[in-house]
Amino acid sequence: VNETLDLLIKLQKLDSIIIKHSKTIKNIPSKINSMETPFKEAEATLERLNSNFENLDKKKREKENSVNENNDRAEKLKTRTNDIKDNKAYTAHLKEIDGLERSTRKLEDDVLYSMEAIEASAGRVKEAEDALKTEEGRLEGLKKKLDLEVDEAKDGLRNMKEDRSALTKGLDEDTFKLYMDILANKGGSAVVKVEDSVCDGCNENIMPQLVVEIAKNEKIIHCPQCRRILYQEVEETSEVSDGTQD
Ligand SMILES: [Zn+2]
């Protein structure tokens, strides 16, 4: 195999992995973002249930205050009862007390209903708090796992970039530029195999004479359709070859 071609094939294999790892790292924030949705929803639910609880509690306290006010007023009225001599005024007085007491009983019933509603609401708040805690734990776990993945990918990338500069040292400037140009314009694939007379990059058929030439792996041949550099995969090449054979 041509030395330059061999280097290019190795470079492409390395770059494909580098690109994949870089994408993984780049996608992590949006991945975390999408994983946060259930947590944020649990947070919103808890907030809504908390404000519902507070509303119920506030209404209950208002009713309790009204009960106290009614009781005070009824007490005051009752202390005056014996002072009233006029019959008509006396009847009206008793009627007022009775009205107050009836309103108080109604309010006390309302307080009881409120307490039931508050208890049910507190149960729902507790459930939502538990659900939020669960989501929080799940999210923390996932984040930790992703952080680890990023660290590993970054370490791997560092090593691969060292390997890469060792590889590119063997290429002349023009070939490297050509490679980088195709890599940038063809979605990260500049060097591709020919399989069954088809370019692995653009899936177009390659003419038979060219396929024969490519199969020799002796020089840089471009796909007439997509300009990618073509090669024929040789069983024992890639892994074992040290790039010095030809
Ligand atoms: Zn092609």
Side-chain angles (χ1 to χ4, degrees), residues 75-96:
E75 277 314 305
K76 268 179 202 148
L77 286 174
K78 278 175 188 168
T79 56
R80 277 180 18 220
T81 306
N82 290 333
D83 302 335
I84 302 169
K85 306 295 173 205
D86 177 68
N87 238 347
K88 224 174 171 184
Y90 186 72
T91 312
H93 179 74
L94 288 184
K95 213 174 171 186
E96 196 183 350

Side-chain angles (χ1 to χ4, degrees), residues 1 4 10-11 25 51 60 65 72-73 79 83 89 102 108 129-130 154 163 168 172 196 211 224 246:
V1 178
T4 304
K10 282 178 179 162
L11 186 57
I25 294 171
S51 94
K60 191 195 85 169
N65 284 339
D72 286 349
R73 269 180 67 199
T79 56
D83 302 335
R102 254 186 290 144
E108 282 170 342
E129 278 170 351
D130 289 348
K154 280 182 178 167
D163 291 349
T168 53
D172 64 83
D196 302 323
V211 173
D246 63 29

